[in-house]
Amino acid sequence: MKVEFVDLRREYQEIRESLRGQVEKVLSRGCYILGDEVQSFEQEFSDYIGAGHSIGVGSGSDALYLVIKALGIGEGDEVITVANTFVSTADAIARNGAIPVFVDVMEESYCIDTLKIEEKLTTRTKAILPVHLYGQPADMEPILAIANKYGLHVIEDACQAHGAEYRGQKVGGIGDVGCFSFYPTKNLGGYGDGGIVVTNNEMLANKVRVLRHYGQEIKNESIVLGINSRLDELQAAVLRIKLKYLDKWNGSRITAAALYNELLAGVEAIVPRERASTKHVYHLYVIRMKDRDNMRRKLSAKGIETGVHYPIPVHKQRSYLDMGFKEKLETTEKICGEIFSLPMYSLITEKEIRFVTDAIKETTGGNGG
Ligand SMILES: *Cc1c(COP(=O)(O)O)cnc(C)c1O
């Protein structure tokens, strides 16, 4: 048996028939950029998150980049974020000429340690950018309280957390603005790149809308220096169909995670811990083991693919060392040598999960399986 880290063909098989019709409709209509599909999807996604405005863009990275630009954050400004994330989070800050200021994460959630934010604030701090990592919401209440106290923007990186909830509210709609990616492997993914910005702030929404489209509001009139970054009609048509399945597919991920938890009880591994009053949507199922590399090798030999998210924290990446980053982040640097991600996607089967956990038990020699 082989267990792939993710198998995107299964979701495709489930929606194949409805996709065919939609794709044909878009191709026949003859409008491929900024047409009805994008507009409808933006509305449907706003409704899903519970926010006033959505702007479809070219990727999650561009969503973050454009939001920071639209907020007027640039040269010399600082943005509080984490190093235990995909590098794109911090890149969006640095590419705007601003400085990512890294705060350590909590051992329980792998998300930003809210007790360590205030000590990193300076007069140049403009925003806090928490990441809802692996599908688990960051602790938004203290973040909003700090932001409120110091007059900072809150930008949510919800690229791994479509449908996740914090105290009954969908993430991405809790701070000033949320950013999502539709990269194919995300909980809601297209068949190419895509992203979206979600906000209740109409002025900010309008700015992002102009920036994604060459800085133009009216054809051939550039009012600010913009870029070309739009969600295309085909991706929007696909996403409109997949959005209808999101809750169901997230539910399957949650069931899969619960089964992993149950089967891994008794193994010397730290399984994901969910904070009370949150809905974790398990973009990734991340566990921690002391001899991680050895375990991954053994699983690979048995046909099981695993991943590490992420092996090198952002501040230790070559590009960031070259920019002069040299802080020490104790928990971030400790966990990156122990964490690894087991196969997880909406349509993974119970049999596959049992195969993975049996293999882990055989390798640790514990608990028979
Ligand atoms: C995927 C991801 C991004 C970037 O999204 P792209 O669409 O790949 O550009 C940013 N932040 C996080 C946390 C991500 O997981």
Side-chain angles (χ1 to χ4, degrees):
M1 189 162 164
K2 249 182 76 83
V3 185
E4 291 177 45
F5 188 65
V6 349
D7 181 352
L8 300 174
R9 290 160 298 203
R10 294 187 194 173
E11 284 189 1
Y12 171 61
Q13 289 307 331
E14 198 168 315
I15 58 174
R16 179 173 197 153
E17 286 317 310
S18 33
L19 267 179
R20 290 259 154 99
Q22 274 302 97
V23 167
E24 173 56 28
K25 193 177 85 187
V26 171
L27 294 180
S28 307
R29 200 192 277 140
C31 170
Y32 307 121
I33 296 285
L34 296 185
D36 293 348
E37 295 300 318
V38 170
Q39 208 167 3
S40 300
F41 177 67
E42 286 174 344
Q43 185 58 54
E44 287 156 14
F45 198 75
S46 293
D47 294 344
Y48 178 77
I49 298 297
H53 312 274
S54 288
I55 308 100
V57 296
S59 67
S61 302
D62 281 356
L64 290 160
Y65 171 79
L66 290 170
V67 158
I68 291 165
K69 182 163 288 304
L71 287 170
I73 297 170
E75 213 61 53
D77 293 333
E78 294 176 0
V79 177
I80 298 283
T81 191
V82 289
N84 180 44
T85 181
F86 186 46
V87 69
S88 162
T89 310
D91 287 354
I93 301 166
R95 281 198 290 142
N96 272 294
I99 303 157
V101 174
F102 298 114
V103 169
D104 211 355
V105 294
M106 285 188 275
E107 285 224 41
E108 299 72 42
S109 64
Y110 309 123
C111 291
I112 193 165
D113 187 340
T114 55
L115 294 175
K116 293 182 178 158
I117 293 176
E118 272 185 289
E119 66 198 45
K120 296 270 179 119
L121 299 180
T122 73
T123 52
R124 295 181 299 275
T125 311
K126 292 291 184 299
I128 307 175
L129 202 172
V131 181
H132 304 301
L133 200 69
Y134 312 145
Q136 162 113 299
D139 197 4
M140 291 305 290
E141 200 167 272
I143 293 170
L144 294 175
I146 294 166
N148 203 28
K149 183 169 162 193
Y150 296 96
L152 308 172
H153 302 291
V154 175
I155 305 162
E156 296 174 72
D157 183 340
C159 289
Q160 301 187 354
H162 319 67
E165 290 175 17
Y166 179 85
R167 308 209 166 145
Q169 230 183 323
K170 292 249 167 40
V171 304
I174 301 171
D176 296 299
V177 55
C179 299
F180 292 85
S181 163
F182 301 125
Y183 181 76
T185 60
K186 307 286 170 147
N187 292 38
L188 179 60
Y191 294 121
D193 277 309
I196 206 163
V197 171
V198 177
T199 182
N200 279 312
N201 180 333
E202 191 178 353
M203 218 160 73
L204 180 63
N206 289 338
K207 279 187 186 160
V208 173
R209 219 174 273 287
V210 169
L211 285 172
R212 78 167 169 182
H213 189 58
Y214 321 107
Q216 299 182 359
E217 205 161 32
I218 299 166
K219 198 175 168 72
N220 291 324
E221 282 183 33
S222 162
I223 51 174
V224 288
L225 190 61
I227 63 171
N228 170 5
S229 179
R230 300 161 305 211
L231 184 67
D232 66 65
E233 287 284 291
L234 270 180
Q235 297 309 327
V238 168
L239 291 165
R240 288 186 71 195
I241 292 172
K242 291 185 98 183
L243 181 59
K244 298 195 185 98
Y245 290 79
L246 179 58
D247 286 337
K248 180 179 144 206
W249 284 340
N250 276 342
S252 306
R253 286 174 185 268
I254 291 165
T255 304
L259 183 61
Y260 267 131
N261 287 348
E262 185 193 318
L263 296 172
L264 288 173
V267 173
E268 262 204 60
I270 299 171
V271 300
R273 284 159 292 187
E274 285 179 39
R275 211 181 291 103
S277 336
T278 63
K279 180 176 171 183
H280 188 328
V281 291
Y282 292 96
H283 171 59
L284 294 166
Y285 183 85
V286 175
I287 67 171
R288 260 165 80 192
M289 291 184 108
K290 282 274 184 275
D291 66 341
R292 188 241 352 241
D293 294 334
N294 180 44
M295 176 60 77
R296 289 191 68 215
R297 261 191 305 275
K298 296 260 172 67
L299 293 177
S300 172
K302 290 179 177 171
I304 298 165
E305 285 179 358
T306 60
V308 178
H309 301 84
Y310 294 90
I312 308 170
V314 178
H315 68 301
K316 295 286 189 189
Q317 296 281 356
R318 178 82 266 150
S319 47
Y320 282 76
L321 293 175
D322 285 350
M323 284 186 262
F325 285 85
K326 44 174 162 289
E327 53 263 85
K328 178 111 194 61
L329 301 166
E330 202 184 317
T331 305
T332 300
E333 288 165 35
K334 181 177 78 177
I335 62 171
C336 72
E338 301 175 355
I339 49 177
F340 69 114
S341 314
L342 300 183
M344 168 58 81
Y345 51 98
S346 60
L347 299 177
I348 192 169
T349 64
E350 178 173 338
K351 195 169 153 215
E352 286 165 324
I353 292 172
R354 286 184 186 277
F355 185 73
V356 173
T357 55
D358 284 347
I360 292 174
K361 286 174 186 170
E362 278 162 28
T363 306
T364 56
N367 249 16

mmCIF file of all heavy atoms in Angstrom, residues 30 56 74 85 113 122 210 242 256 289 297 308 333 346:
data_model
loop_
_atom_site.group_PDB
_atom_site.id
_atom_site.type_symbol
_atom_site.label_atom_id
_atom_site.label_comp_id
_atom_site.label_asym_id
_atom_site.label_seq_id
_atom_site.Cartn_x
_atom_site.Cartn_y
_atom_site.Cartn_z
ATOM 1 N N GLY A 30 -16.691 33.556 -23.332
ATOM 2 C CA GLY A 30 -15.705 34.404 -23.985
ATOM 3 C C GLY A 30 -15.123 35.509 -23.132
ATOM 4 O O GLY A 30 -14.322 36.313 -23.597
ATOM 5 N N GLY A 56 -11.016 39.093 -5.384
ATOM 6 C CA GLY A 56 -10.252 37.953 -5.882
ATOM 7 C C GLY A 56 -8.936 38.409 -6.476
ATOM 8 O O GLY A 56 -8.901 39.362 -7.268
ATOM 9 N N GLY A 74 4.817 50.639 4.608
ATOM 10 C CA GLY A 74 5.963 50.556 3.702
ATOM 11 C C GLY A 74 7.275 50.801 4.413
ATOM 12 O O GLY A 74 7.428 50.456 5.598
ATOM 13 N N THR A 85 5.990 29.777 9.941
ATOM 14 C CA THR A 85 4.954 29.895 8.914
ATOM 15 C C THR A 85 5.597 29.663 7.559
ATOM 16 O O THR A 85 6.814 29.521 7.448
ATOM 17 C CB THR A 85 4.289 31.289 8.950
ATOM 18 O OG1 THR A 85 3.266 31.365 7.936
ATOM 19 C CG2 THR A 85 5.294 32.403 8.683
ATOM 20 N N ASP A 113 2.440 33.645 20.065
ATOM 21 C CA ASP A 113 2.326 33.723 21.510
ATOM 22 C C ASP A 113 1.921 35.149 21.856
ATOM 23 O O ASP A 113 2.733 36.073 21.834
ATOM 24 C CB ASP A 113 3.670 33.371 22.157
ATOM 25 C CG ASP A 113 3.559 33.265 23.662
ATOM 26 O OD1 ASP A 113 2.581 33.811 24.241
ATOM 27 O OD2 ASP A 113 4.435 32.634 24.283
ATOM 28 N N THR A 122 7.053 48.854 18.764
ATOM 29 C CA THR A 122 7.824 50.099 18.777
ATOM 30 C C THR A 122 6.928 51.190 18.188
ATOM 31 O O THR A 122 5.792 50.922 17.788
ATOM 32 C CB THR A 122 9.099 50.006 17.897
ATOM 33 O OG1 THR A 122 8.722 50.037 16.526
ATOM 34 C CG2 THR A 122 9.900 48.749 18.184
ATOM 35 N N VAL A 210 -8.325 48.388 -6.860
ATOM 36 C CA VAL A 210 -7.571 49.206 -7.814
ATOM 37 C C VAL A 210 -6.140 48.662 -7.972
ATOM 38 O O VAL A 210 -5.639 48.529 -9.091
ATOM 39 C CB VAL A 210 -7.556 50.689 -7.345
ATOM 40 C CG1 VAL A 210 -6.561 51.509 -8.154
ATOM 41 C CG2 VAL A 210 -8.959 51.281 -7.456
ATOM 42 N N LYS A 242 -16.623 24.304 -5.623
ATOM 43 C CA LYS A 242 -15.951 23.692 -4.473
ATOM 44 C C LYS A 242 -16.355 24.324 -3.139
ATOM 45 O O LYS A 242 -16.345 23.658 -2.107
ATOM 46 C CB LYS A 242 -14.437 23.738 -4.665
ATOM 47 C CG LYS A 242 -13.966 22.798 -5.784
ATOM 48 C CD LYS A 242 -12.464 22.760 -5.902
ATOM 49 C CE LYS A 242 -11.873 21.571 -5.206
ATOM 50 N NZ LYS A 242 -10.399 21.556 -5.265
ATOM 51 N N ALA A 256 -11.005 12.685 10.204
ATOM 52 C CA ALA A 256 -9.717 12.015 9.987
ATOM 53 C C ALA A 256 -8.742 12.344 11.118
ATOM 54 O O ALA A 256 -8.040 11.459 11.633
ATOM 55 C CB ALA A 256 -9.127 12.433 8.643
ATOM 56 N N MET A 289 7.682 14.410 17.248
ATOM 57 C CA MET A 289 8.420 13.267 17.813
ATOM 58 C C MET A 289 9.892 13.638 17.903
ATOM 59 O O MET A 289 10.413 14.361 17.053
ATOM 60 C CB MET A 289 8.255 12.035 16.927
ATOM 61 C CG MET A 289 6.853 11.456 16.942
ATOM 62 S SD MET A 289 6.753 9.930 15.971
ATOM 63 C CE MET A 289 6.603 8.736 17.287
ATOM 64 N N ARG A 297 11.925 8.635 7.636
ATOM 65 C CA ARG A 297 12.616 7.701 6.727
ATOM 66 C C ARG A 297 11.940 6.339 6.740
ATOM 67 O O ARG A 297 11.703 5.731 5.697
ATOM 68 C CB ARG A 297 14.092 7.548 7.148
ATOM 69 C CG ARG A 297 15.060 8.398 6.330
ATOM 70 C CD ARG A 297 16.507 8.009 6.597
ATOM 71 N NE ARG A 297 16.862 8.066 8.008
ATOM 72 C CZ ARG A 297 17.258 9.181 8.637
ATOM 73 N NH1 ARG A 297 17.358 10.327 7.971
ATOM 74 N NH2 ARG A 297 17.558 9.158 9.925
ATOM 75 N N VAL A 308 7.186 18.335 6.245
ATOM 76 C CA VAL A 308 7.559 19.137 7.408
ATOM 77 C C VAL A 308 7.151 20.581 7.129
ATOM 78 O O VAL A 308 7.589 21.174 6.148
ATOM 79 C CB VAL A 308 9.078 19.069 7.709
ATOM 80 C CG1 VAL A 308 9.399 19.963 8.905
ATOM 81 C CG2 VAL A 308 9.515 17.641 7.978
ATOM 82 N N GLU A 333 12.359 27.605 17.139
ATOM 83 C CA GLU A 333 13.573 26.897 16.732
ATOM 84 C C GLU A 333 13.621 25.472 17.283
ATOM 85 O O GLU A 333 14.233 24.593 16.684
ATOM 86 C CB GLU A 333 14.813 27.695 17.178
ATOM 87 C CG GLU A 333 14.983 28.949 16.329
ATOM 88 C CD GLU A 333 15.956 29.980 16.901
ATOM 89 O OE1 GLU A 333 16.963 29.574 17.527
ATOM 90 O OE2 GLU A 333 15.705 31.186 16.727
ATOM 91 N N SER A 346 -9.214 15.781 2.521
ATOM 92 C CA SER A 346 -10.613 15.508 2.851
ATOM 93 C C SER A 346 -11.018 14.064 2.578
ATOM 94 O O SER A 346 -11.776 13.485 3.343
ATOM 95 C CB SER A 346 -11.526 16.449 2.068
ATOM 96 O OG SER A 346 -11.338 16.253 0.679
#
